[in-house]
Amino acid sequence: MTLSVTNTLTGEREDFEPQRDDDVLLYVCGLTVSDDAHLGHARLWMHADIMHRWLDHEGYTVHHVENFTDVNEKIAARIDEDDLGDDESDVAEHFIGDVIRDMRGLNLKRAEVYPRVTEHIPEIIDLIETLIDRGHAYESNGSVYFDVSTYDDYGKLSNQKVEELEAQGEESERSEKRNPTDFALWKAGPVTPETAAEHRNPDLEPLTDPCGQTWESPWGEGRPGWHIECSAMSMTHLDETIDIHVGGRDLVFPHHENEIAQSEAATGQQFANYWLHVGLLQTDGDKMSSSLGNFFYVDDALSEFGPDVIRTFYLSTAYGSEQTYSEETIAEAEERWERLERAYESAVEACDSPDARTKVEAEGLRETLDSFRETFTVAMNDDFNVREAMAELLGLASAVNRHLEDADEYDYRALHEAIELFEEFGGDVFGLSFGDGAEGGDVTIANDLVQLILDVREQEREAGNYERADDLRDDLDALGVEVEDSADGATFRFE
């Protein structure tokens, strides 16, 4: 069965056909790093990860690019807050480190590259100049705006008409624009104290001076607009036309609509062939959001539940549907994961026991095994329907348990095959921790253990035991942990 997906661009279910037979160009709209990630952000990551894993399983080479937005008024508004740093780049760097920690803790496959806006200013400027040259953008008081009226297909993703749209951007921009719906590609100057105040914690001292990073451009010193960055980065690292663009449903308008307009106006090519949008995570009847304060940080959730429970929670609902987080839904996920884990471990134990026999045939288990690969594949090819695929995996667990409960002697061949299916589909495809099939292990614990060793090392240095401190650093290096000392203390990374 061919993979079919629901394409937001057409509103239709379509067979997936990449531009190149065996390669898939996948772009995921990443996080604006103005805060730690919460479970709403992680829902997008997890479903993008499952898409990546399933395409891998089906034999494609996946070129996965996921950006970090490290230039934004929300980031600048957190300057001098707690220990986040005294400039925008410090704040962004702090949260990028936390996001990477959370991604690894959730056992996400690594993207091919994680580009940052600050690394792509030349490409952004080049793209804006192309749009000006082609009559789709104009300069005004040192800022540059995309002229929506010059792009006939504007609104095709969100199914809106230009004349019915409300004005875009900050109110201070309105007087500079030809049309209220035009959007900023380049913003003159730094972030003003007034703009920063809109996003700053009111309990903190306000910022009194302009802030944020700026760059020289043909239109003067300034900063890139929000939407232009994804077009520039996807074209730089993938192509002018990509196969799949993934993002949260709340980004359809204006972000993704504007991406399409500026990209296609610049290149004359379709920007993305398939737009897949992940439904929002709800809690207490509202979407989980930092601004609403109804969120659960990923790091806290990993500490409380572990990656397998969190992944099992997300796997209960198809990516395109809304999902609700509550004590009840996370408890259900815990119960499902425990069922899967117990069935796998019981199968391993039985398979390795003297009661596992060559000529015993468990009819019911073998019937489940005969159909499992096909039914799981049908579910995943049905628009990555993880809900149905998870039901098949739970069915496999039930079949294993029934055999082990009913038999005095075990069907070795069937149990061996069941173990391999758990590891292939539960481990490789779903990213759960079944045997050697899981990639990540508990990265959170590994990080904590390394930090504990570094704390001991620092105590040794303070006590003047420098040779012992050096030995600890050498021991970490031998284990593949690179330690860097600075005035702010020791940091580390896994090589």
Side-chain angles (χ1 to χ4, degrees), residues 166-345:
E166 296 181 359
Q168 296 194 57
E170 300 170 14
E171 190 168 345
S172 59
E173 299 172 358
R174 308 278 166 86
S175 63
E176 298 180 342
K177 298 192 294 185
R178 294 175 182 172
N179 312 295
T181 50
D182 293 349
F183 57 90
L185 302 172
W186 187 262
K187 298 181 179 183
V191 178
T192 65
E194 293 76 20
T195 298
E198 295 174 14
H199 306 287
R200 191 164 175 82
N201 185 333
D203 295 332
L204 299 174
E205 288 291 326
L207 298 174
T208 57
D209 298 319
C211 58
Q213 302 174 84
T214 58
W215 291 265
E216 288 299 326
S217 78
W219 319 286
E221 186 179 350
R223 299 156 55 86
W226 175 32
H227 314 295
I228 194 69
E229 62 187 55
C230 285
S231 295
M233 289 185 282
S234 64
M235 291 181 193
T236 298
H237 296 285
L238 294 172
D239 206 339
E240 290 183 351
T241 299
I242 59 177
D243 294 305
I244 300 176
H245 194 305
V246 182
R249 182 165 294 144
D250 54 339
L251 297 181
V252 171
F253 186 87
H255 186 49
H256 292 161
E257 192 73 71
N258 292 348
E259 277 188 60
I260 290 175
Q262 65 201 11
S263 301
E264 297 186 0
T267 67
Q269 306 294 319
Q270 183 159 316
F271 177 47
N273 290 330
Y274 303 92
W275 287 85
L276 307 186
H277 284 97
V278 177
L280 303 178
L281 184 63
Q282 305 277 345
T283 181
D284 298 326
D286 292 308
K287 85 164 186 176
M288 187 174 285
S289 167
S290 299
S291 62
L292 295 176
N294 60 351
F295 56 87
F296 195 172
Y297 284 129
V298 173
D299 188 44
D300 293 336
L302 283 168
S303 297
E304 184 166 347
F305 305 117
D308 292 306
V309 171
I310 297 172
R311 292 185 73 97
T312 302
F313 164 72
Y314 291 129
L315 288 164
S316 68
T317 306
Y319 79 88
S321 301
E322 308 293 298
Q323 186 173 16
T324 298
Y325 174 84
S326 67
E327 290 184 5
E328 292 77 13
T329 55
I330 200 72
E332 290 169 2
E334 285 184 287
E335 188 274 332
R336 284 192 296 272
W337 167 243
E338 288 171 1
R339 282 175 57 195
L340 293 170
E341 186 179 36
R342 282 197 305 269
Y344 173 80
E345 291 177 350

Side-chain angles (χ1 to χ4, degrees), residues 74-89:
K74 293 180 180 179
I75 302 173
R78 301 200 67 172
I79 291 171
D80 290 335
E81 180 180 336
D82 299 327
D83 58 349
L84 297 181
D86 57 7
D87 60 41
E88 186 178 24
S89 61

Side-chain angles (χ1 to χ4, degrees), residues 435-455:
D436 295 334
E439 292 185 352
D442 197 330
V443 177
T444 303
I445 292 176
N447 285 337
D448 290 345
L449 288 173
V450 172
Q451 189 59 57
L452 180 61
I453 294 170
L454 290 179
D455 290 344

